[in-house]
Amino acid sequence: MASSMNSLEAIQKKIDAVKLFLSVSLSIANAHTVDFYTCNVWDQFMAVPPVEVLTEITLNGDHKRAPEHYLNHGNAKKITFGFCDDSKRLVDVAEFLEAAYAHSLPGLGVCVGRTELLQSLRHTDNAQPLEEGAVVESDEFMNSKKSHEVQAMSEVVASLAQRCRVKQVIDVGSGKGYLCSFLSLRYGLQVYGIDSSSVNTHGAQERNRKLKKYSRAYQRHSKANRTPTVVPPSGQEDLEDIAPEDNSLPELDQSDPASAPEEPFLSALCVGMVEPTSPRVPPSELSLEERERRKRENLERKARSWVNSGGMGSGMLYSPLTSYVTAETELKEIIGELEDAVMVGLHTCGDLAPSTLRMFVAKRELLSVCSVGCCYHLLSEEFDPTRQECPSSSVCGFPLSGYLREQSWFCGRNARMSACLALERVSKGQGIQMESLFYRAVLHVILRDHYSSFKSEKRVGNVYSKATSFVDYVWRALRRLELDGSKLSDGVIQGYHDTYRPRMVEMEAFNMLKVTLAPCIEGLILLDRLCYLKEQEDVAFSTLVQLFDPLLSPRCYGVVGVKAPGTELS
């Protein structure tokens, strides 16, 4: 990694470039879909027809003009990123799309790949060979998305631990403990999982109990001369009990081997990311003998992993702890056996991700960090005029760096909501549910026209999923808002639908522009976190790394930092 390309000054220049672009375009991301028709949002921001926007997005997907094209022009009036300088409306869709790509993390060229990072970590003078324990097939006890994330991140975390010569890992926001378990089983690390939810901690403890039970059963079975027809001890749960369902994945017909949830995801993974699997046969088509053989093999493999990684000696895979932590938290009060450690966070929500970086900087015993954030809409913003999420007495999550704080920069909640959109998935046809957004926007018109106060303190909520039609949706929404329905009739409600239905294409095109802006807003948030680490004198190395396949895991970027005075990464 060339240090000049990843220096504090270089990162600050990248931040300036993204800020310049967002200063022109961020208003699109901050426009609220609910107000789309009541505030005539399309005419307010757009000077081109919606069909032109959709056509340009479809036909010109490769918008990869060099970032220098924009940076070298400075604030010249001709640089509008597609917006008219006078009206502030979008007039050139192609230039806007090119600018959006140029000011995303891929376009800025600021991220390193996971393989490149691993090579750098393993080729330092004090790095030790990566020690690996038992072979653990993570897709046996978690879904394919989680398996992909855990395997990719755990190798980076283990390499950080080896480079810093530590054996302890602290996982903040550990949830059900998937990453913790894998780090302990696969790499023999002593892991402490900290989560503020006692429900999650209990779930992690339950998974530990079940894996420990498998190890004991394996020891009993290994002493006996089993035959292929021996039935495992009664009371054995199936391995699926260890992995709760992930509701973020689409429901698939389990009776059809071609639609089994693992296969579409595994086929999209990088070569070597997971072990190849044989085609799945529905359990109903397996003989009793085959089902028992597979259950026994799974039992042996899981128990073998546990025994080989030293689990029987420690009694637990890792230590799940329930606590709310901040940069001011004394970790030694939570972890009595605390030593020098690596701090990690896999998809830590909202302010927890910047808090993880603050803890890394503040705690002498934390020698490295690997943080992957998510849920940007839950971030608190110090300089947001509305201050909806950040009480004046608390520390806010954005901006984190002194550089952006000096400029009092803020994004706005709707923009942070837009940052959560997944461009890669939408571009592959996994689009936004437009009809529900359309229903809500037209409902807002009805509330404006027929009810004196349409800024209700009550929320409409998810009534769309239960509605059979737009008329049904409106009636359900009125009941939820506790409004008088006698002012309307089915015919009047349907009339609103028919009036605005031809303009639904405007909303579709506008939301595609929001999706296009998502990587730029996310990029600014992550560059701010990287800049924060660059500003710290005792952080010798820091970078942004793409850890995951964005189609599988849209929040795919990690912030990595290492405290190692006197040592440089190549």
Side-chain angles (χ1 to χ4, degrees):
M1 299 176 211
S3 58
S4 62
M5 296 178 61
N6 207 19
S7 65
L8 174 60
E9 293 75 16
I11 297 303
Q12 290 174 341
K13 288 182 179 179
K14 303 289 188 183
I15 289 176
D16 290 341
V18 179
K19 279 178 50 199
L20 179 62
F21 172 62
L22 291 180
S23 67
V24 176
S25 60
L26 195 62
S27 56
I28 288 180
N30 270 318
H32 204 302
T33 306
V34 168
D35 301 320
F36 192 79
Y37 298 121
T38 56
C39 295
N40 204 14
V41 169
W42 183 263
D43 289 339
Q44 182 180 347
F45 294 103
M46 309 299 296
V48 294
V51 174
E52 180 178 331
V53 173
L54 294 174
T55 301
E56 193 67 40
I57 290 175
T58 301
L59 298 181
N60 297 279
D62 192 21
H63 305 285
K64 297 184 179 180
R65 183 177 293 179
E68 290 75 12
H69 169 84
Y70 304 97
L71 300 182
N72 293 341
H73 286 75
N75 292 313
K77 187 175 181 179
K78 62 179 179 179
I79 296 301
T80 63
F81 305 114
F83 290 84
C84 173
D85 291 339
D86 296 327
S87 69
K88 310 302 180 186
R89 300 166 73 197
L90 184 64
V91 295
D92 189 331
V93 180
E95 182 160 344
F96 168 81
L97 295 176
E98 290 174 350
Y101 176 81
H103 295 94
S104 66
L105 292 181
L108 292 168
V110 72
C111 283
V112 300
R114 193 178 71 94
T115 301
E116 183 181 356
L117 175 64
L118 290 172
Q119 290 173 347
S120 294
L121 291 173
R122 293 169 183 173
H123 286 82
T124 52
D125 292 338
N126 69 332
Q128 301 295 314
L130 186 62
E131 297 177 2
E132 298 184 356
V135 176
V136 183
E137 297 180 13
S138 60
D139 58 343
E140 291 181 4
F141 58 97
M142 61 186 87
N143 62 58
S144 296
K145 174 182 179 292
K146 183 62 66 176
S147 173
H148 171 60
E149 295 166 350
V150 166
Q151 290 194 65
M153 187 166 180
S154 63
E155 188 175 7
V156 171
V157 174
S159 296
L160 287 169
Q162 287 290 89
R163 182 192 183 280
C164 297
R165 298 186 179 184
V166 301
K167 295 295 290 183
Q168 287 190 356
V169 174
I170 301 174
D171 183 2
V172 179
S174 55
K176 301 294 185 182
Y178 294 113
L179 178 63
C180 296
S181 298
F182 194 82
L183 283 169
S184 180
L185 282 170
R186 185 73 176 90
Y187 297 104
L189 294 167
Q190 183 180 5
V191 187
Y192 296 93
I194 303 176
D195 198 278
S196 61
S197 169
S198 58
V199 174
N200 281 342
T201 304
H202 175 74
Q205 290 171 337
E206 183 64 12
R207 292 183 70 249
N208 272 346
R209 183 190 68 79
K210 290 180 177 180
L211 288 178
K212 186 175 180 180
K213 179 177 180 179
Y214 284 123
S215 70
R216 290 171 176 166
Y218 170 71
Q219 283 192 329
R220 291 197 303 268
H221 280 265
S222 64
K223 295 178 181 179
N225 185 17
R226 299 188 305 272
T227 63
T229 56
V230 172
V231 178
S234 61
Q236 292 284 345
E237 297 96 340
D238 205 331
L239 282 173
E240 281 74 7
D241 293 338
I242 298 177
E245 293 181 0
D246 186 340
N247 294 326
S248 65
L249 296 178
E251 293 184 2
L252 299 172
D253 182 5
Q254 299 296 322
S255 63
D256 181 4
S259 65
E262 289 81 355
E263 296 306 324
F265 292 97
L266 290 177
S267 63
L269 295 181
C270 300
V271 176
M273 187 63 69
V274 294
E275 293 293 328
T277 58
S278 57
R280 292 182 176 269
V281 179
S284 59
E285 297 180 12
L286 296 175
S287 65
L288 176 61
E289 180 177 330
E290 178 64 14
R291 288 201 298 269
E292 296 298 348
R293 185 187 67 80
R294 293 190 177 191
K295 183 182 294 186
R296 184 173 59 255
E297 287 182 353
N298 284 337
L299 171 65
E300 293 173 8
R301 180 162 49 245
K302 199 62 61 181
R304 241 187 337 260
S305 299
W306 169 254
V307 173
N308 292 342
S309 63
M312 288 303 293
S314 60
M316 296 191 72
L317 287 173
Y318 74 100
S319 302
L321 306 169
T322 302
S323 179
Y324 179 82
V325 293
T326 67
E328 289 71 39
T329 302
E330 288 296 334
L331 294 175
K332 291 184 178 180
E333 295 180 1
I334 304 174
I335 305 170
E337 306 82 7
L338 181 64
E339 302 172 357
D340 288 346
V342 177
M343 174 160 278
V344 303
L346 174 55
H347 289 155
T348 46
C349 291
D351 284 348
L352 185 55
S355 291
T356 299
L357 299 179
R358 285 193 175 103
M359 279 187 278
F360 164 66
V361 169
K363 308 301 179 186
R364 180 186 56 79
E365 58 270 18
L366 299 178
L367 301 187
S368 61
V369 66
C370 182
S371 171
V372 181
C374 67
C375 304
Y376 301 125
H377 61 293
L378 298 179
L379 267 177
S380 58
E381 292 199 77
E382 182 176 358
F383 301 105
D384 187 343
T386 64
R387 297 294 291 252
Q388 294 176 348
E389 296 91 3
C390 184
S392 57
S393 59
S394 66
V395 178
C396 295
F398 181 86
L400 186 61
S401 67
Y403 187 68
L404 272 183
R405 293 188 69 213
E406 290 174 358
Q407 302 174 57
S408 302
W409 180 270
F410 72 93
C411 293
R413 189 172 190 276
N414 288 337
R416 287 183 279 109
M417 287 281 288
S418 298
C420 298
L421 298 172
L423 174 61
E424 290 81 7
R425 286 185 173 182
V426 173
S427 65
K428 295 296 183 181
Q430 302 176 36
I432 304 171
Q433 176 52 263
M434 287 305 308
E435 189 176 64
S436 65
L437 299 177
F438 172 72
Y439 278 14
R440 183 63 184 88
V442 178
L443 170 66
H444 212 55
V445 178
I446 294 174
L447 296 177
R448 179 197 64 185
D449 292 351
H450 295 274
Y451 299 89
S452 58
S453 176
F454 63 95
K455 292 291 185 181
S456 173
E457 294 182 359
K458 296 181 180 294
R459 298 175 61 87
V460 173
N462 186 23
V463 299
Y464 173 80
S465 62
K466 301 177 182 179
T468 58
S469 65
F470 178 72
V471 173
D472 185 38
Y473 172 87
V474 172
W475 289 126
R476 288 175 179 271
L478 293 178
R479 288 194 294 270
R480 177 71 63 86
L481 297 173
E482 298 179 356
L483 294 175
D484 180 13
S486 62
K487 298 181 179 182
L488 300 172
S489 66
D490 287 358
V492 170
I493 294 173
Q494 186 62 40
Y496 275 94
H497 176 276
D498 296 343
T499 297
Y500 284 93
R501 183 64 181 80
R503 295 182 59 188
M504 186 174 173
V505 66
E506 296 176 359
M507 179 175 287
E508 181 182 358
F510 196 81
N511 277 284
M512 287 303 298
L513 294 177
K514 279 192 171 188
V515 172
T516 303
L517 282 172
C520 306
I521 304 169
E522 179 183 33
L524 182 65
I525 293 171
L526 295 179
L527 284 171
D528 171 61
R529 295 173 184 178
L530 177 60
C531 185
Y532 171 74
L533 292 185
K534 296 289 183 186
E535 293 170 345
Q536 311 307 316
E537 292 183 359
D538 61 343
V539 176
F541 169 78
S542 55
T543 191
L544 288 176
V545 56
Q546 182 175 331
L547 290 170
F548 313 132
D549 180 344
L551 276 175
L552 279 174
S553 182
R555 303 284 76 80
C556 61
Y557 296 105
V559 182
V560 173
V562 178
K563 294 176 186 173
T567 302
E568 295 291 338
L569 287 176
S570 59

